[in-house]
Amino acid sequence: MRLRNIPGSKEVIAESEYVIHEPETVKGKWRRLFGNEKPLFIEIGMGKGRFIMDMAKAYPDINFVGIERYSSVLLRALQKMDEIEEKPENIRFICMDAKDILDVFDNGEADRIYLNFSDPWPKDRHAKRRLPSREFLKRFDVILSKDGTIEFKTDNKELFDFAVSELEPAGWKADVITYDLHADKELSKDNIMTEYEEKFSSIGNPICKYIIRR
Ligand code: SAM
């Protein structure tokens, strides 16, 4: 997802109290930033932020950080945040490429990572850019706590098969693997939909999901 550059977006982002502007300076201090010891969940590639905002409202005892690469997309999330009457205290955003995530979170600092409808990068030579690739799993291994988990959802079966095939070589195990999340009563009970999930499930695409740990 890349939206055309929107005039004034840089200024809106610069002024937002929800955006962490120098995230490297918060490395190792995320709990201090939130002012509590609650678990820290991250969504990487949050897009317009619907999922993470709904999660923050539903789970006030967890702190959430949404990461998005493009400022034009982050701006949409901030506009959505503006419309919320009771703004959640437990959410912040970062505009960055997740390849630099080790500069921003310390060893074991996060408790869960969500990857939702990650870009597929279909060409083989771009496999390393896929967020559920072993290269990214290696980074996530560093920043996740001992019992930390990664949850990945997509309607792209090729990307999902690739993601599953990356688990063993990267030293991860699946707690859950489904190729049709919405058909599984138990798994879909507390499922919070992302923007893409709503769009693609509404045209009949089954949603794949895994939950993994080391
Ligand atoms: N997660 C949202 C959803 O499910 O509705 C958005 C999905 S959209 C297909 C993927 C988003 O991930 C895009 O907004 C893209 O800019 C962002 N993204 C992709 N690779 C990224 C990276 N390496 N770091 C940060 N954001 C990334």
Side-chain angles (χ1 to χ4, degrees), residues 6-17:
I6 298 161
S9 66
K10 292 256 159 30
E11 290 75 7
V12 175
I13 290 169
E15 280 164 24
S16 172
E17 56 186 310

Side-chain angles (χ1 to χ4, degrees), residues 1 43-47 67-70 73 96-99 116-119 131 136 194-197:
M1 183 191 302
E43 184 187 10
I44 300 179
M46 67 165 187
I67 295 178
E68 170 52 49
R69 184 170 35 173
Y70 294 120
V73 183
M96 65 177 282
D97 190 321
K99 73 176 168 47
N116 290 320
F117 295 78
S118 307
D119 293 343
L131 292 178
F136 272 96
T194 81
E195 214 144 24
Y196 272 61
E197 183 173 0

Side-chain angles (χ1 to χ4, degrees), residues 12-21 30 33-34 46 53 56 64-66 74 77-82 84-95:
V12 175
I13 290 169
E15 280 164 24
S16 172
E17 56 186 310
Y18 290 100
V19 179
I20 305 302
H21 301 288
W30 281 96
L33 178 124
F34 281 104
M46 67 165 187
M53 284 184 226
F64 291 89
V65 175
L74 173 61
L78 297 180
Q79 288 168 337
K80 209 175 281 177
M81 194 73 173
D82 230 20
I84 301 176
E85 245 173 62
E86 276 183 44
K87 303 205 189 320
E89 300 269 302
N90 56 335
I91 188 166
R92 297 291 184 278
F93 304 117
I94 307 174
C95 194

Side-chain angles (χ1 to χ4, degrees), residues 144-162:
L144 276 173
S145 57
K146 193 163 89 22
D147 296 319
T149 51
I150 302 174
E151 300 201 5
F152 172 49
K153 291 196 277 191
T154 182
D155 69 322
N156 185 321
K157 184 158 177 309
E158 288 72 38
L159 178 64
F160 191 68
D161 284 339
F162 165 81

